[in-house]
């Protein structure tokens, strides 16, 4: 459904690339919000809820990606920190190699020292400048214990 909306928006015929980019960014924001909500609610349960959250994030990204895979343009910091609420955080950097400002939607996985998935979150990096980079912070949806690492599971750009 989202892809259909984006396809129709791109063919609106008004010739306004700024408007189309704005609409795509808005769609990305909706995607990030919906995915974060789904992940947050799914990870509060027990058992396979983390697997369900990961699957839901994957499904949403697959619907939206439409050839704009940007995983190679996004990195996470070397160190996961714990914030004042006890949640794990890590810096996310999106490097935009294009000639126009872009928005990135990034899925960050938090893992234990053995590589087991502890949590997964979606973060949006708005208005990354042309040929530039911008930072954001990914924050776990719950308190994680032990040594925690992170990686970029997937990323798309609009």
């Amino acid at each position: 459904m989202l892809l259909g909306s984006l396809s129709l928006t791109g063919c609106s015929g008004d010739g306004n690339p700024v408007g189309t980019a704005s609409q795509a960014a808005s769609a990305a924001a909706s995607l990030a919000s919906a995915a974060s909500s789904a992940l947050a609610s799914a990870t509060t349960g027990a058992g396979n809820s983390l697997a369900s959250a990961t699957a839901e994030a994957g499904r949403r990204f697959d619907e939206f990606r439409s050839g704009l895979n940007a995983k190679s343009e996004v990195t996470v910091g070397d160190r996961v920190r714990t914030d004042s609420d006890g949640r794990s955080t890590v810096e996310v950097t999106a490097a935009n190699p294009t000639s126009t400002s872009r928005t990135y939607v990034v899925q960050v996985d938090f893992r234990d020292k053995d590589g087991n998935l502890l949590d997964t979150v979606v973060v949006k990096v708005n208005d990354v400048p042309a040929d530039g980079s911008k930072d954001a912070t990914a924050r776990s949806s719950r308190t994680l214990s032990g040594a925690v690492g992170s990686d970029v599971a997937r990323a798309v750009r609009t």
Side-chain angles (χ1 to χ4, degrees):
M1 179 90 159
L2 181 59
L3 281 176
S5 299
L6 289 175
S7 297
L8 292 174
T9 300
C11 299
S12 64
D14 64 5
N16 181 355
V18 173
T20 302
S22 176
Q23 290 168 344
S26 178
S30 295
L31 170 67
S33 176
S36 290
S37 295
L39 292 172
S41 63
T43 56
T44 58
N48 293 324
S49 61
L50 185 58
S52 296
T54 303
E56 178 64 14
R59 185 184 68 74
R60 290 186 181 275
F61 272 87
D62 288 343
E63 286 176 4
F64 181 74
R65 185 181 344 211
S66 185
L68 299 175
N69 181 354
K71 184 176 178 181
S72 65
E73 299 166 16
V74 179
T75 58
V76 292
D78 292 336
R79 189 169 149 206
V80 175
R81 301 179 193 284
T82 303
D83 69 12
S84 61
D85 292 332
R87 306 271 179 99
S88 296
T89 65
V90 68
E91 185 175 279
V92 176
T93 302
N96 178 8
T98 71
S99 61
T100 58
S101 177
R102 301 290 183 178
T103 295
Y104 287 75
V105 178
V106 183
Q107 178 184 337
V108 176
D109 288 348
F110 290 96
R111 298 183 179 277
D112 67 15
K113 66 179 178 162
D114 296 322
N116 297 311
L117 185 64
L118 300 173
D119 197 8
T120 187
V121 297
V122 176
V123 64
K124 184 176 158 195
V125 187
N126 290 314
D127 304 318
V128 180
D131 295 316
S133 64
K134 189 171 180 183
D135 298 330
T137 300
R139 182 176 186 254
S140 65
S141 60
R142 57 192 174 87
T143 301
L144 306 177
S145 61
V148 178
S150 63
D151 59 65
V152 175
R154 54 179 78 214
V156 296
R157 69 173 149 85
T158 61

